[in-house]
């Protein structure tokens, strides 16, 4: 597999190598030792989540307060999605920057989202299923929500109509508003927390 750092510092895109034959193909989606070596710490899975979304559903931007944090490896296992990572860490050299990945079922491409980064995606097909391998269990009350349509971030969603959003995502504050509230993680403590 190829593990490449994205435009957002400490986020990685994981692209497996497919081995095709007359039956179809096989690929190794990820290997703990390789991911751990690339991110510089052991990556253990403590919670697995799935989301199932109608076409044109926009989820996010969602992050987690640090501590406790919650790193995740996100992969599309059905349908297709435009997957986005946004740096929410105050003081990070890539604060406010985003990177996108087209995730399609069968490609096996995954995105590693470390503590302090936000995640969002737009479902491009009906019944798009995203799988999240999380390194900690979710702690209620620790989620950070940021407006995915924030023009200051400028994610090129290329929407073909009004997206389907949860009530809380639709009214989520901008990145500047959340930064002013003081709840965003800071770069160095987020890196230190990731070593837990």
């Amino acid at each position: 597999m190829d593990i490449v750092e994205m435009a957002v510092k400490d986020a990685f895109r994981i692209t497996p190598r497919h081995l095709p034959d007359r039956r179809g193909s096989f690929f190794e989606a990820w290997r703990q030792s390789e991911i751990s070596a690339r991110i510089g710490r052991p990556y253990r899975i403590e919670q697995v989540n799935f989301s199932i979304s109608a076409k044109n559903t926009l989820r996010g931007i969602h992050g987690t307060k640090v501590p406790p944090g919650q790193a995740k490896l996100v992969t599309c296992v059905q349908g297709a999605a435009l997957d986005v990572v946004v740096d929410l860490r105050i003081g990070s050299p890539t604060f406010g920057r985003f990177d996108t990945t087209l995730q399609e079922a069968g490609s096996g491409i995954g995105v590693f989202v470390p503590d302090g980064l936000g995640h969002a995606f737009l479902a491009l097909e009906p019944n798009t299923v995203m799988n999240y391998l999380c390194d900690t269990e979710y702690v209620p009350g620790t989620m950070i929500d940021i407006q995915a349509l924030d023009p200051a971030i400028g994610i090129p969603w290329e929407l073909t109509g009004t997206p389907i959003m949860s009530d809380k995502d639709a009214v989520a504050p901008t990145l500047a508003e959340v930064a002013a509230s003081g709840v965003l993680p800071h770069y160095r403590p987020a890196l230190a927390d990731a070593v837990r």
Side-chain angles (χ1 to χ4, degrees):
M1 72 190 71
D2 297 317
I3 304 174
V4 178
E5 189 167 29
M6 299 172 70
V8 174
K9 190 165 177 46
D10 306 313
F12 293 91
R13 184 176 297 114
I14 301 156
T15 306
R17 296 185 188 122
H18 290 252
L19 303 171
D21 65 22
R22 67 180 178 273
R23 301 167 296 172
S25 69
F26 172 87
F27 64 88
E28 185 176 281
W30 67 282
R31 182 182 293 215
Q32 183 176 12
S33 60
E34 289 188 33
I35 299 241
S36 296
R38 193 67 173 100
I39 66 174
R41 66 177 178 85
Y43 186 67
R44 296 179 188 91
I45 298 167
E46 293 191 13
Q47 182 172 321
V48 178
N49 302 329
F50 288 88
S51 65
I52 304 166
S53 301
K55 183 177 180 177
N56 208 35
T57 292
L58 180 56
R59 293 184 186 252
I61 301 167
H62 301 147
T64 308
K65 293 177 185 175
V66 178
Q70 187 183 55
K72 55 187 78 73
L73 179 59
V74 184
T75 307
C76 179
V77 295
Q78 180 173 301
L82 178 63
D83 191 80
V84 180
V85 176
V86 181
D87 196 340
L88 306 179
R89 302 167 299 181
I90 302 290
S92 167
T94 56
F95 176 74
R97 190 178 301 172
F98 68 87
D99 201 350
T100 63
T101 301
L102 175 61
Q103 291 210 35
E104 298 174 294
S107 73
I109 294 172
V111 173
F112 174 73
V113 184
D115 290 345
L117 271 57
H119 178 257
F121 72 86
L122 176 67
L124 303 176
E125 294 182 6
N127 296 313
T128 292
V129 180
M130 302 295 279
N131 171 236
Y132 309 76
L133 303 177
C134 305
D135 74 341
T136 58
E137 294 181 15
Y138 173 68
V139 177
T142 61
M143 185 173 281
I144 298 170
D145 299 310
I146 294 172
Q147 179 53 247
L149 301 174
D150 182 349
I153 299 173
I155 299 168
W157 293 113
E158 299 181 18
L159 297 167
T160 57
T162 303
I164 302 165
M165 300 174 79
S166 70
D167 292 343
K168 74 179 180 73
D169 284 351
V171 299
T174 65
L175 179 58
E177 290 168 333
V178 177
S181 76
V183 300
L184 290 180
H186 287 262
Y187 182 55
R188 295 288 172 206
L191 291 179
D193 189 69
V195 179
R196 61 175 171 267

